[in-house]
Amino acid sequence: MDCGVRLHLAPMYILGIESSCDETGVAVVQAQASGTPALLGAALYSQIAMHQDFGGVVPELASRDHIQRVLPLTEQALGEAGLRLQDIDLIAFTRGPGLAGALLVGAGVASGMAMGLNIPSVGMHHLEGHLLSPFLSQDPPEFPFVALLVSGGHSQLMRVDAVGQYVLLGETIDDAAGEAFDKSAKVMGLGYPGGPALAALAEQGNAQAFALPRPLLHSGNLDFSFAGLKTAVMVQHRKLGEQPTQQQLRDLAASTQAAIVEVLVKKSLRALKDSGLSRLVVAGGVGANRALRAQMNAACAKVQARVHYPELHLCTDNGAMIAMAAALRWQAGLMPQAQPALAQGLDRSFHVRPRWPLDAIDSISNQ
Ligand code: KG4
Ligand code: ZN
């Protein structure tokens, strides 16, 4: 049978592998020629407990742990999907950005398995995975939309016209929003990763207790800057003396969170206004923050804009977003190398891109 025809009629089973930082994620997505692809199975292992003793991610430990986890997680995801490895048509892995050694584990395993199965493997962009992760929710967005990407390493506003069409509108000139949460939490003696810990402490704090800066709020553009905030938090924390009370810490956490959230909300609203769009997607780890969601919802409701989020557990790194991004690229015709018929002739060499701007996504071969 002609393989081009088969591709249009049969569902495509895509295995996605994420290993860019401290989470190993594997998932299976089923894509048809049209319609939103379906998540069939997913497995995730977070290395947070392992890195906690060091106050941050230790790259070499991360790589070694990915090696231990990736095959058992693959079995788990396939089991949940009710599929065998032989049923998979395409393996997608995170090519970058991320930690080089950690990326190499996913890339090596994906390429090796694809070679053994005689199917193609494709390297995906981690941030495209985050960006398209709301397509895994019950309420997927329609194009075009503005995306606020807020993770541990990135804070960007993008205009998204279609899969693969991303225009950078603004980004952080120093720390990312997640980094601002993590570094402020560290100053306050909270554990790693600091974002969720600081957010939990902030729940019972007074957000007006400390006056903290809102960097670049009135800069007239869509860039962010968060490095100064961490310094301001440090100064306030020092003023509290050796033994701050629990309530003082709650108030400082709430004030810090309020400063970050206000900047993210106001810049996102500005991006909607400037672009004339009325749909917003918030993705990446910081997108799990409840205060951000509440204030973004309220601000968007005022201007009659729709806001979409990934499900809470899919805000941070996972394999489902990588499989989903591959499925959407395949559906959009952006993945010519995904034809199983071509697998035999494929170049099986692979590479990773630890640094890789999202707007340069198509600047190299995606094979
Ligand atoms: O997207 P992600 O899992 O990894 C990267 O690609 O960087 O994002 C991790 C970041 C960390 O900085 C973490 O502290 C932050 O997301 N984060 C949060 C929350 N959950 C995760 N920040 C604030 N509030 C949260 N609930
Ligand atoms: Zn991420």
Side-chain angles (χ1 to χ4, degrees):
M1 197 204 306
D2 174 71
C3 259
V5 173
R6 189 184 83 92
L7 262 182
H8 268 86
L9 297 178
M12 177 95 165
Y13 292 112
I14 301 175
L15 185 80
I17 301 179
E18 156 63 31
S19 71
S20 67
C21 190
D22 57 354
E23 261 103 23
T24 325
V26 184
V28 183
V29 158
Q30 177 185 8
Q32 313 271 358
S34 62
T36 307
L39 178 64
L40 302 184
L44 185 72
Y45 181 81
S46 170
Q47 305 175 352
I48 283 176
M50 182 178 75
H51 297 294
Q52 238 151 15
D53 290 346
F54 303 93
V57 179
V58 183
E60 181 59 24
L61 293 183
S63 313
R64 289 171 190 227
D65 203 66
H66 285 306
I67 294 173
Q68 306 277 339
R69 309 285 169 192
V70 65
L71 292 180
L73 290 171
T74 302
E75 273 175 30
Q76 198 182 323
L78 285 167
E80 198 178 304
L83 295 172
R84 299 160 309 153
L85 194 54
Q86 294 90 311
D87 297 321
I88 298 297
D89 300 297
L90 171 73
I91 304 184
F93 61 92
T94 305
R95 188 192 298 290
L99 301 169
L103 291 167
L104 276 170
V105 176
V109 168
S111 305
M113 282 199 296
M115 188 166 160
L117 294 166
N118 202 22
I119 58 172
S121 59
V122 287
M124 302 301 300
H125 198 293
H126 180 82
L127 293 182
E128 182 176 51
H130 277 303
L131 195 69
L132 300 177
S133 60
F135 285 91
L136 289 156
S137 74
Q138 298 295 323
D139 180 29
E142 278 169 37
F143 297 108
F145 55 80
V146 168
L148 172 70
L149 259 179
V150 271
S151 68
H154 295 85
S155 295
Q156 302 185 326
L157 277 161
M158 317 273 314
R159 182 191 164 104
V160 179
D161 285 300
V163 176
Q165 287 180 34
Y166 312 127
V167 180
L168 184 67
L169 303 175
E171 65 183 332
T172 182
I173 57 168
D174 42 51
D175 289 352
E179 240 175 321
F181 270 102
D182 293 341
K183 288 182 175 174
S184 302
K186 203 167 190 171
V187 165
M188 295 173 59
L190 306 173
Y192 158 84
L198 192 142
L201 196 61
E203 299 256 317
Q204 292 149 50
N206 171 9
Q208 271 89 49
F210 296 93
L212 294 170
R214 269 72 171 152
L216 299 190
L217 190 59
H218 303 293
S219 62
N221 64 17
L222 296 171
D223 286 340
F224 305 98
S225 164
F226 291 109
L229 181 62
K230 168 203 63 192
T231 313
V233 172
M234 201 185 290
V235 170
Q236 291 294 348
H237 188 258
R238 230 178 255 155
K239 279 193 197 158
L240 296 177
E242 292 284 301
Q243 302 227 295
T245 65
Q246 192 61 12
Q247 193 53 45
Q248 284 173 322
L249 289 177
R250 288 184 188 134
D251 291 348
L252 185 55
S255 304
T256 307
Q257 177 172 269
I260 300 171
V261 166
E262 185 181 343
V263 177
L264 294 178
V265 170
K266 292 216 165 128
K267 293 269 171 166
S268 300
L269 267 283
R270 193 190 165 106
L272 285 172
K273 195 167 173 226
D274 289 0
S275 61
L277 297 179
S278 57
R279 259 184 302 269
L280 178 73
V281 156
V282 180
V286 180
N289 186 273
R290 285 179 203 284
L292 174 64
R293 286 186 177 215
Q295 289 180 41
M296 197 68 94
N297 289 344
C300 283
K302 268 194 199 154
V303 296
Q304 269 136 36
R306 288 278 325 263
V307 51
H308 299 258
Y309 307 90
E311 286 178 40
L312 267 183
H313 70 285
L314 295 175
C315 283
T316 44
D317 295 348
N318 63 82
M321 68 183 197
I322 300 303
M324 176 56 90
L328 293 172
R329 277 203 157 241
W330 173 74
Q331 277 186 336
L334 296 174
M335 213 180 253
Q337 72 277 38
Q339 294 270 1
L342 297 181
Q344 264 167 349
L346 284 183
D347 172 6
R348 292 293 179 180
S349 62
F350 61 88
H351 63 277
V352 295
R353 297 198 74 186
R355 288 179 182 276
W356 188 9
L358 183 54
D359 51 355
I361 189 164
D362 290 320
S363 66
I364 59 152
S365 153
N366 203 31
Q367 193 172 289

